[in-house]
Amino acid sequence: MATFLYKIGRISFRRRHFVALIWVALLTLAGVGAASAPAAGNSSFSIPGTEAQKAFDLLEQRFPGTSADGATARVVFKAPSGEKMTDRGNKATVQETVKELADGSEVVRVTDPYQAKAVSKDGTVAYAQVSYKVSGMELEDSSRDALEDSAQDARKAGLTVEIGGDALQTVPHTGTTEIIGIAVAAVVLVITFGSLIAAGLPLLTALIGVGIGVSSITALASALDLGSTTSTLAMMIGLAVGIDYALFIVSRYRAELAEGRDREEAAGRAVGTAGSAVVFAGLTVVIALVGLSVVNIPMLTKMGVAAAGTVAIAVLIALTMVPALLGYAGRRVKPAGEKGKLLGRAKKQEEQDKPVKPNLGTRWASFVVRRPVAVLLLGVVGLGAAAVPAGSLELGLPDDGSQPTSTTQRRAYDLLSEGFGPGFNGPLMVVVDAKDSDDPKAAFTAVGDEIKGLEDVVTVTPPAPNKAGDTATITVIPDSKPSSVATEDLVHSIRGKGAGIKADSDANVLVTGQTAMNIDVSEKLNDALIPYLVLVVGLAFLLLIVVFRSILVPLKAALGFLLSVMAALGAVVAVFQWGWLAGLMGVEQTGPVMSMMPIFMVGVVFGLAMDYEVFLVTRMREAYVHGEKAGQAVVTGFRHGARVVTAAAVIMMAVFAGFIGSSESMVKMIGFGLAIAVFFDAFVVRMAIVPAVLALLGRKAWWLPKWLDRALPNVDVEGEGLRSASGDQDKELVRA
């Protein structure tokens, strides 16, 4: 592989005009496609295989036109102090608002609070429920605007009006977070390379790669039902890895220049060695992202595949466009150790003759090799302590109760809790399928009676049958809030009664609604976590065996990753569930950790963690293969790779940490979780635990059974083939 990539690097350097033209043409083509493609709404949301989804599908068949899984909004009204919602003026205002809401093109129906008995016992709070044809993720912006305009008109009449429900669910806007990440990345790159030109290359190529990836997603969004949420993950991951991959190529190029090679040869060797690491690091990220499909949530699968495509583009750009741009830059990209005009000056001859002081990476690696046991114990104990809160992990999906108190959704949630009780924010819809029953009406009544006898039930509405009389819906109001364990237990209790009802009356009982759907999604994600871990870690383990030609190094890499993920989950629990440093992080409401967080963190962080493993340990493997002792190879790997891996990790953390500033608790949690996971993995696992373990193992670290060594393909990540070819060329020159 190294020889093949070496040729690509040289050709790209030599034919830079052609290579640059191809990538610019692809960017233009993707941009034109995105601009001319029909505007895509938010992608449809379904959870195949869950009881809640089965109930929604059944309702679509038995109650046609009702849009059972459509968005809902609750417009909550509160009377001024000393007044009642039943007062004539307030009642007229509410009825006028209901009339306005019913005019929406996507509205199915609007309930009148006075006809639906949706006025609190004390008469101070009332609500109107608006049902839409499509889900909250598919709702047009015009419908949301009309909803908010109607509420504003009622506020002008003196009422307090807030809006809750999933109709206001929108794609979180992170504002300037990407700009912040790019700005920090630019500063880190300038410090690392000491040159604006060298620092600008990774930024430029990463932006081109992300531009092609996101534009392609936008162009295909309508045809493939990708939606606007799909590009968020692709942009986040594509930007981070795009900068990192180009950073490694440019860094190796400068190192090759420092060894006296001409620029075309240096570009070829940089792509042949560091480029090999880029290919395998990119493969691990792609495996982790595509592996999200095992969860069987279509939206998550699409996000993973789209992000994986963007990563693949980042790899191709690093292998071709980076050497092409290095050709354009010429002498403005200095050899390693020689600073540019921006941060340095030309060295005097006497300064050049002085012994070079070992860099920080060399000094740190030498210390670890001398004290491997102490460093290993300190790293493992530290991560273990950080992981302790993960033992108290509670999973759930965020509802309006987890929104900041400044939002109308949260204020509506609090008003409904005040007027009707906390469970009113999470009603359960029980669907009774009595098509095979001899007496459907008796079955409907029996189900209602069974539910009334359960704990944590406040209200059970009378059965509402369809026209055929074979299916009915029953609304159940729990006593506890939607995200509570008690409400989850109630859902399971109702479903548990279904078996007995089926035996007695041949009627099927299904529980659905937003709260039940959230519970089902959480359980589906929990059940998929172990298979996902086995799949992703197993495939990456096999891939790393091929890369490092070792059993223990990939095993150590996987175990180190699990340590860093557990520590990161512990940090997420401490901040978002326990409330530690909540004020500093801007967390207004603590509660269960988003159920998607563990599997999402495993997928993204595993791929990125393997990046650092491949880039750092490949240099060690290269030194070992070329004759150095095991301990010295660790030091050599750090001398060449520690500075670059540190810069890459800081850039990655900056990109992710920018999302902590989002007002959306979900985005904030993802940003914090990924940033802290990268910190733990890069600076504790890869920079401390990995060299300590390799120092303890010595030559055994690179052991591989002979039969397996013969069976595995020789991908030559270390560039041994390049060295051999170079030696043959030198011999030919001597003979000549």
Side-chain angles (χ1 to χ4, degrees):
M1 174 176 283
T3 304
F4 173 71
L5 294 178
Y6 165 79
K7 293 177 181 178
I8 289 179
R10 293 197 63 163
I11 291 172
S12 299
F13 185 95
R14 192 183 310 124
R15 306 293 184 188
R16 47 187 172 272
H17 302 307
F18 179 69
V19 172
L21 182 63
I22 288 177
W23 283 112
V24 170
L26 288 175
L27 178 61
T28 304
L29 183 64
V32 171
S36 59
N42 295 299
S43 59
S44 56
F45 186 77
S46 63
I47 313 295
T50 61
E51 180 171 317
Q53 187 64 49
K54 291 176 182 175
F56 279 138
D57 295 340
L58 181 65
L59 288 171
E60 288 291 340
Q61 297 175 13
R62 307 288 174 83
F63 293 81
T66 58
S67 301
D69 61 345
T72 58
R74 281 179 170 175
V75 183
V76 188
F77 305 90
K78 184 175 182 180
S81 179
E83 298 182 17
K84 302 284 187 181
M85 288 305 305
T86 51
D87 293 347
R88 179 178 298 179
N90 294 335
K91 187 174 182 179
T93 300
V94 171
Q95 290 176 331
E96 181 62 28
T97 303
V98 169
K99 184 178 179 181
E100 289 180 18
L101 291 170
D103 292 335
S105 60
E106 293 183 306
V107 174
V108 175
R109 62 184 174 277
V110 182
T111 60
D112 186 313
Y114 305 101
Q115 296 178 5
K117 299 180 181 179
V119 181
S120 63
K121 292 181 180 178
D122 62 5
T124 60
V125 179
Y127 74 91
Q129 181 152 314
V130 187
S131 300
Y132 292 90
K133 298 176 183 177
V134 295
S135 68
M137 298 294 287
E138 299 173 286
L139 203 61
E140 296 290 338
D141 289 339
S142 58
S143 295
R144 295 192 183 95
D145 293 339
L147 183 63
E148 293 171 350
D149 291 343
S150 299
Q152 188 60 36
D153 292 340
R155 291 189 186 106
K156 292 177 181 178
L159 297 177
T160 298
V161 186
E162 305 295 348
I163 306 170
D166 61 346
L168 293 183
Q169 181 180 7
T170 57
V171 179
H173 295 289
T174 53
T176 59
T177 52
E178 293 88 355
I179 298 175
I180 294 172
I182 292 172
V184 173
V187 172
V188 173
L189 288 169
V190 169
I191 294 173
T192 302
F193 292 139
S195 165
L196 283 177
I197 298 295
L201 290 180
L203 286 175
L204 177 61
T205 54
L207 290 174
I208 291 174
V210 168
I212 294 173
V214 173
S215 296
S216 300
I217 291 170
T218 304
L220 298 172
S222 180
L224 302 181
D225 191 28
L226 298 179
S228 52
T229 58
T230 312
S231 61
T232 303
L233 180 63
M235 181 180 295
M236 186 190 297
I237 303 301
L239 185 62
V241 301
I243 295 174
D244 281 4
Y245 293 165
L247 167 64
F248 287 112
I249 299 286
V250 174
S251 178
R252 186 60 184 255
Y253 171 76
R254 296 177 73 235
E256 296 293 338
L257 288 179
E259 293 183 9
R261 294 187 173 86
D262 66 70
R263 295 186 177 275
E264 183 177 326
E265 177 70 11
R269 285 181 172 268
V271 175
T273 52
S276 298
V278 166
V279 169
F280 283 99
L283 275 176
T284 59
V285 180
V286 169
I287 288 172
L289 291 170
V290 173
L292 290 171
S293 59
V294 303
V295 183
N296 196 26
I297 296 179
M299 184 180 71
L300 193 60
T301 300
K302 291 173 184 177
M303 290 176 68
V305 172
T310 307
V311 171
I313 292 172
V315 171
L316 292 174
I317 282 185
L319 298 178
T320 57
M321 192 169 188
V322 169
L325 292 181
L326 288 172
Y328 283 117
R331 296 184 179 277
R332 283 168 288 188
V333 176
K334 307 293 183 182
E338 182 180 333
K339 295 183 179 179
K341 296 180 180 179
L342 181 66
L343 296 179
R345 57 184 176 81
K347 292 183 178 180
K348 296 179 180 179
Q349 185 63 44
E350 57 269 21
E351 291 177 334
Q352 296 177 3
D353 294 337
K354 290 181 180 179
V356 178
K357 181 181 178 181
N359 61 22
L360 182 59
T362 303
R363 298 197 299 273
W364 169 249
S366 300
F367 170 78
V368 174
V369 169
R370 290 195 305 270
R371 301 283 189 274
V373 176
V375 173
L376 178 61
L377 287 176
L378 186 61
V380 171
V381 170
L383 290 179
V388 168
S392 303
L393 178 66
E394 295 178 9
L395 297 175
L397 286 176
D399 56 21
D400 287 347
S402 63
Q403 297 274 6
T405 53
S406 58
T407 63
T408 186
Q409 295 98 315
R410 173 61 186 277
R411 291 195 293 263
Y413 182 97
D414 292 340
L415 283 177
L416 287 172
S417 297
E418 174 190 328
F420 301 93
F424 204 79
N425 284 289
L428 305 176
M429 180 183 291
V430 178
V431 182
V432 185
D433 179 8
K435 189 174 184 179
D436 298 328
S437 177
D438 295 332
D439 191 350
K441 289 185 179 179
F444 301 154
T445 304
V447 172
D449 292 340
E450 286 280 0
I451 296 174
K452 288 177 183 177
L454 297 175
E455 294 183 4
D456 204 52
V457 173
V458 174
T459 305
V460 178
T461 64
N466 62 350
K467 290 182 179 179
D470 58 6
T471 308
T473 59
I474 300 173
T475 301
V476 180
I477 305 298
D479 188 39
S480 304
K481 63 181 183 179
S483 59
S484 67
V485 176
T487 300
E488 183 176 347
D489 291 340
L490 175 60
V491 171
H492 291 308
S493 296
I494 296 173
R495 289 172 174 171
K497 294 289 184 181
I501 294 171
K502 173 70 173 176
D504 295 339
S505 62
D506 289 328
N508 291 317
V509 177
L510 303 172
V511 184
T512 189
Q514 189 63 46
T515 301
M517 179 67 86
N518 288 351
I519 292 170
D520 287 352
V521 170
S522 297
E523 292 180 352
K524 191 176 183 69
L525 289 166
N526 292 343
D527 294 341
L529 182 58
I530 298 301
Y532 178 67
L533 261 177
V534 171
L535 172 69
V536 172
V537 176
L539 288 176
F541 180 78
L542 296 175
L543 187 64
L544 292 179
I545 288 178
V546 174
V547 174
F548 296 127
R549 308 195 76 77
S550 163
I551 297 293
L552 296 179
V553 170
L555 181 61
K556 171 262 311 166
L559 294 176
F561 156 74
L562 293 175
L563 261 178
S564 59
V565 165
M566 290 304 298
L569 278 176
V572 169
V573 170
V575 173
F576 292 89
Q577 189 175 310
W578 291 1
W580 294 5
L581 302 177
L584 181 64
M585 296 294 168
V587 180
E588 296 186 19
Q589 182 70 33
T590 60
V593 173
M594 183 181 62
S595 55
M596 196 181 293
M597 195 68 193
I599 199 165
F600 185 82
M601 186 178 290
V602 166
V604 176
V605 176
F606 182 79
L608 302 180
M610 293 306 102
D611 279 0
Y612 306 131
E613 179 75 16
V614 170
F615 288 125
L616 195 59
V617 180
T618 296
R619 264 306 180 109
M620 300 178 192
R621 169 74 182 173
E622 183 178 339
Y624 179 77
V625 168
H626 291 163
E628 292 187 8
K629 294 183 178 179
Q632 183 57 39
V634 172
V635 177
T636 300
F638 266 77
R639 181 171 70 248
H640 292 294
R643 180 184 178 93
V644 181
V645 169
T646 299
V650 171
I651 290 169
M652 199 83 73
M653 289 167 58
V655 172
F656 293 146
F659 290 84
I660 298 175
S662 173
S663 60
E664 289 285 339
S665 60
M666 182 178 71
V667 176
K668 186 188 296 289
M669 188 181 296
I670 290 174
F672 173 80
L674 295 181
I676 198 70
V678 169
F679 172 78
F680 285 145
D681 197 90
F683 294 105
V684 181
V685 174
R686 309 302 154 192
M687 293 291 185
I689 293 178
V690 165
V693 171
L694 291 177
L696 288 172
L697 292 174
R699 295 180 60 185
K700 295 177 183 177
W702 309 108
W703 170 79
L704 187 70
K706 291 183 179 179
W707 64 268
L708 185 57
D709 187 38
R710 290 191 297 268
L712 291 177
N714 183 14
V715 296
D716 189 22
V717 178
E718 302 83 20
E720 185 64 26
L722 299 182
R723 172 170 288 203
S724 301
S726 178
D728 293 341
Q729 291 174 3
D730 292 342
K731 291 177 182 177
E732 291 296 329
L733 288 173
V734 170
R735 289 171 184 166

